[in-house]
Amino acid sequence: MILMVGPEDMNALITIQEAVDAMEQGLKDWANNPELGALRRRVHAPSGARVTVHQGAPQSAGVTGLLAHCEQVVIHPEGYQTYSVRGRPVRVIYDANNSELLAITIGEVRVKELPEVNNVAVIPTACATAVGVKWLARRDSRRLGILGSRGQARAQLAACKAILPNLEAARVYSPTQENRIRFAAEMTELLDMEVRAVGSAREVVESADVLLSVTNSNVPTFNGDWLAPGVHLCSIVSSNIGLKRGGFVNRMRREVDDTTLRRADIIVCNSKDQERLDEPAVLWEPIQQGVISWDKVWDFKELLSGKVPGRTNERQISFFKNNAFWGVGDQVIGALLYRRALERGIGTKVPIDGAEYRER
């Protein structure tokens, strides 16, 4: 018997705090045993359809499986990319103890606080960012800055609010005034905290204890000289190496400048192996050009396992490059969704007898 959990079934099954905690646990499992996580893989069709797979086997959750999603990539004349169609993501969850298929979830994770999430990777991405904030930002951080105002920015702010006990206010900037004003109003009500739209990126950056660059930009979104001592920065822009190699675009995406990288005292990414595979311009390009060296970049598992100390004083600038290696954490989220659905009698049970597939 397997459980099929559809898009509406997953609405509000878990909170953003539970999702962040699940992501952290999965990444800790991987830090203790690197074989439990696989690098994110992508395949681009000539039509522009792109399939992405995230895989993991978190020991603490007793499951193993993958998340797959597909989107139709559109490249605009200005060089930035959007998605005209996003196919429903599919998460496959197996019992790691006996290899039986437990569940298939179809659709986005819609946490209690964000019922309107419609982007396939919003919640896992935001949760990975929040784990980086927990381990690298100053614990007394009170002001958060956001560059970007769409769905991913909503989840990023909600996840960071769940992890920062002293967070009081946020400022947001995006190029379209209407979008940033709407974002500020909606998030102020949703999170019961002051979220204010401002007129420039500089206003966001200079006032932030924690800064989130949540854009689809292929050029830097701020000047690294604006960063205040002690700030923690996260960038989520992902690699488009497949699009470049396939001839869809002629340059890589980058939203962080060289000055930021030179000023950063601590640089951490989810996985250095993921960086080497994807060659994203945010880190890979400056490393190849000699702006920074590989030995300045820490792997997340080095931080989570205690191999490196993280922040050692309050004036250090820390930078977390969220490079989408989070499949092992997503499986902990999937296991939580599965068990919560069982408890509440949600989903459809499909009578498939796994025993008949065992070797005789």
Side-chain angles (χ1 to χ4, degrees):
M1 188 76 70
I2 68 170
L3 187 68
M4 298 287 293
V5 184
E8 300 306 316
D9 297 327
M10 286 196 288
N11 284 355
L13 274 182
I14 61 175
T15 66
I16 189 67
Q17 180 70 67
E18 289 176 317
V20 172
D21 291 344
M23 177 61 66
E24 181 180 27
Q25 184 56 59
L27 291 169
K28 283 182 175 179
D29 287 350
W30 163 72
N32 292 325
N33 181 356
E35 296 303 314
L36 299 181
L39 300 181
R40 181 195 66 176
R41 298 283 180 172
R42 279 178 163 169
V43 174
H44 294 77
S47 62
R50 179 179 71 190
V51 171
T52 304
V53 177
H54 307 264
Q55 190 175 357
Q59 186 172 358
S60 62
V63 298
T64 183
L66 58 89
L67 172 72
H69 55 88
C70 185
E71 48 271 332
Q72 194 73 24
V73 182
V74 178
I75 308 300
H76 295 260
E78 299 82 1
Y80 70 92
Q81 65 189 58
T82 57
Y83 310 99
S84 60
V85 177
R86 293 183 187 271
R88 291 288 193 184
V90 176
R91 182 181 292 100
V92 182
I93 306 169
Y94 291 90
D95 188 323
N97 298 306
N98 58 25
S99 299
E100 297 284 6
L101 179 60
L102 292 177
I104 298 173
T105 72
I106 302 173
E108 300 81 4
V109 178
R110 293 178 173 174
V111 295
K112 184 177 180 180
E113 297 87 348
L114 297 169
E116 302 303 321
V117 167
N118 62 356
N119 184 314
V120 294
V122 160
I123 297 303
T125 301
C127 290
T129 290
V131 177
V133 168
K134 178 178 178 178
W135 282 77
L136 289 169
R138 304 194 324 266
R139 296 303 291 166
D140 65 348
S141 296
R142 300 179 184 278
R143 299 163 300 181
L144 188 142
I146 311 167
L147 301 174
S149 60
R150 295 190 178 274
Q152 184 62 256
R154 290 165 57 88
Q156 294 273 320
L157 176 54
C160 289
K161 175 68 161 55
I163 215 72
L164 288 171
N166 298 310
L167 189 62
E168 296 175 348
R171 291 185 179 183
V172 59
Y173 171 77
S174 64
T176 304
Q177 183 179 14
E178 180 183 353
N179 289 346
R180 63 182 184 258
I181 290 175
R182 181 174 58 248
F183 176 92
E186 291 175 353
M187 297 307 287
T188 293
E189 181 177 357
L190 183 67
L191 299 179
D192 191 27
M193 62 177 284
E194 179 195 11
V195 182
R196 182 157 63 93
V198 297
S200 71
R202 186 165 188 164
E203 289 180 77
V204 168
V205 176
E206 289 184 335
S207 65
D209 297 319
V210 173
L211 176 64
L212 308 177
S213 188
V214 193
T215 76
N216 63 358
S217 176
N218 56 8
V219 296
T221 55
F222 63 92
N223 186 328
D225 285 328
W226 301 342
L227 296 168
V231 69
H232 171 68
L233 162 68
C234 177
S235 166
I236 69 163
V237 68
S238 62
S239 169
N240 59 348
I241 187 68
L243 292 172
K244 188 172 185 294
R245 288 172 176 166
F248 295 96
V249 297
N250 56 20
R251 64 175 174 174
M252 300 292 288
R253 300 168 71 193
R254 185 171 178 190
E255 61 176 0
V256 174
D257 64 8
D258 289 348
T259 301
T260 296
L261 297 175
R262 290 192 184 100
R263 292 191 65 200
D265 300 288
I266 303 166
I267 300 176
V268 179
C269 63
N270 307 47
S271 164
K272 290 174 74 169
D273 288 337
Q274 190 76 59
E275 289 291 309
R276 294 184 179 100
L277 175 66
D278 291 343
E279 300 180 9
V282 172
L283 286 182
W284 181 265
E285 187 176 275
I287 288 171
Q288 300 309 303
Q289 295 171 352
V291 176
I292 59 172
S293 61
W294 266 120
D295 59 11
K296 188 178 180 179
V297 181
W298 295 343
D299 195 295
F300 211 173
K301 67 174 179 285
E302 296 178 279
L303 184 65
L304 296 176
S305 65
K307 184 177 179 180
V308 295
R311 180 180 291 273
T312 55
N313 73 66
E314 299 300 278
R315 293 185 60 81
Q316 287 178 317
I317 294 175
S318 57
F319 172 39
F320 177 54
K321 177 60 187 74
N322 189 344
N323 66 10
F325 175 89
W326 41 250
V328 65
D330 182 73
Q331 277 295 303
V332 184
I333 293 175
L336 181 59
L337 290 168
Y338 163 66
R339 287 158 188 155
R340 193 65 54 79
L342 279 182
E343 292 168 3
R344 299 183 182 179
I346 293 172
T348 302
K349 292 182 178 179
V350 181
I352 295 178
D353 182 6
E356 67 184 75
Y357 297 102
R358 294 176 183 150
E359 290 187 15
R360 304 290 188 205

